[in-house]
Amino acid sequence: MLETLVQTLINGIVVGSIYAMVALGYTMVYGILGIINFAHGEVMMIGAMVAMTVATLLLKAGLPVLLVLILAAIAAMVVCMILSYTIEKVAYRPLRNAPKLAPLITAIGVSFLLQSIAQLVWGLEHFPFPELLPSKRIILFGDVGITMREIVIVIVSLIMMTGLLTLVNKTKLGRAMRATSENVGVTGLMGVNPNKVISATFMIGAALAAIAGILYAMNAGGKVHFFMGFMPGMKAFIAAVLGGIGNIPGAVVGGLALGLAEALGAGYISSEYQDVFAFVVLVVVLIFRPSGLLGQRTADRA
């Protein structure tokens, strides 16, 4: 009984770490512009597809696996950052003063557009993601264990999330991001270029999504396809709402809480309804605490 519980918690933390990284992109954009970027899950998908393509080519060229992983991650981050910069400039910036419904509909349209582009580039096939991390299982006690790949996922997620919190709270760019989230117009009068700050916010969120896409692809059966960003994107949005959308620590807490809730539901009720638990959590949160677990804390909004 104890072994099952510990193993379930480990699985939940691994998945929740990935949700938290994607949720940060949602919460940063909402915190600074007040819009929900539903295309963020597709940015994650593009990152995974680019990494898969680059890694496959480099492995065929005979490069070491670790170097392939690093180069594939860099390529995915660069492509996703350029993509998000373009999306913000072309799709969202012209609608900055429009009613909130306009950018929401635009985000959904951009999401479908990115899926269509992925279909044109990679087709409808499900591609195997190269084995870039060791899958050896380490036994902790009894039947409880964790793979090296899962350990790397948790460590990388912690490093990325800690780095983002440091950037937001300790750097000049972070202060500009927090100031822009309070009032875009006044920030401009203070000598800060809000367009550059908003573009930087999209690009940072895209870099996190690219890494999350790679980790998700390696953890979720090793298959990538044009539709793979939809469900993790939705769950990351739920995680952002759960933690208090617009609140960076809240996105981390929400991601981990959602991962644990999913794992416990799948482990003790039924794995067939694993995706349903996320939406049940969303409904419960919206009914009893619409502002999220840390929704009252606005000081750390990006």
Side-chain angles (χ1 to χ4, degrees):
M1 188 68 178
L2 177 62
E3 293 179 0
T4 303
L5 176 61
V6 174
Q7 186 65 65
T8 301
L9 294 177
I10 290 174
N11 297 339
I13 290 172
V14 172
V15 176
S17 299
I18 300 174
Y19 290 158
M21 287 184 66
V22 185
L24 286 171
Y26 280 102
T27 211
M28 288 171 66
V29 170
Y30 184 85
I32 206 163
L33 282 179
I35 65 173
I36 298 171
N37 179 20
F38 276 120
H40 195 61
E42 272 58 49
V43 173
M44 170 186 155
M45 173 270 294
I46 294 290
M49 298 294 269
V50 169
M52 177 272 298
T53 303
V54 173
T56 303
L57 292 174
L58 294 180
L59 286 174
K60 287 182 180 177
L63 269 65
V65 174
L66 180 59
L67 181 60
V68 169
L69 176 60
I70 294 172
L71 293 177
I74 292 173
M77 285 193 291
V78 170
V79 170
C80 288
M81 290 170 76
I82 295 173
L83 181 63
S84 280
Y85 173 82
T86 306
I87 291 171
E88 188 277 324
K89 190 170 184 178
V90 174
Y92 296 140
R93 191 175 299 182
L95 301 176
R96 203 169 287 173
N97 298 316
K100 294 297 182 185
L101 188 60
L104 182 65
I105 295 173
T106 300
I108 296 172
V110 172
S111 174
F112 286 124
L113 176 63
L114 293 180
Q115 288 183 18
S116 300
I117 292 173
Q119 288 184 53
L120 289 173
V121 175
W122 288 283
L124 302 176
E125 295 179 55
H126 290 217
F127 296 93
F129 197 90
E131 190 78 26
L132 300 178
L133 290 175
S135 57
K136 181 181 178 182
R137 193 165 186 264
I138 300 171
I139 300 299
L140 301 178
F141 66 93
D143 291 331
V144 178
I146 184 170
T147 66
M148 286 298 296
R149 181 172 55 215
E150 291 171 336
I151 292 173
V152 172
I153 288 173
V154 174
I155 292 175
V156 170
S157 300
L158 285 174
I159 292 173
M160 299 294 284
M161 289 184 286
T162 304
L164 176 65
L165 286 172
T166 303
L167 184 148
V168 170
N169 292 313
K170 303 292 184 182
T171 67
K172 186 177 179 181
L173 174 60
R175 287 194 295 272
M177 291 166 68
R178 283 181 284 148
T180 305
S181 71
E182 294 296 329
N183 192 310
V184 176
V186 173
T187 304
L189 296 176
M190 300 295 289
V192 176
N193 187 332
N195 288 332
K196 288 185 178 178
V197 174
I198 292 169
S199 294
T201 303
F202 270 81
M203 293 169 73
I204 293 169
L208 292 172
I211 298 299
I214 296 171
L215 298 179
Y216 182 83
M218 289 192 287
N219 190 55
K223 294 287 186 180
V224 293
H225 51 90
F226 75 95
F227 199 62
M228 65 168 286
F230 176 75
M231 189 53 73
M234 288 300 297
K235 290 181 180 178
F237 167 67
I238 294 171
V241 173
L242 175 61
I245 193 162
N247 186 298
I248 289 178
V252 177
V253 172
L256 293 174
L258 183 64
L260 290 171
E262 265 194 15
L264 290 170
Y268 287 95
I269 300 177
S270 173
S271 59
E272 294 182 2
Y273 301 108
Q274 182 175 353
D275 293 335
V276 175
F277 297 124
F279 295 98
V280 171
V281 169
L282 176 63
V283 172
V284 172
V285 169
L286 290 177
I287 291 175
F288 295 102
R289 194 172 173 82
S291 59
L293 298 175
L294 303 182
Q296 297 301 318
R297 296 175 57 185
T298 57
D300 288 329
R301 290 174 65 197

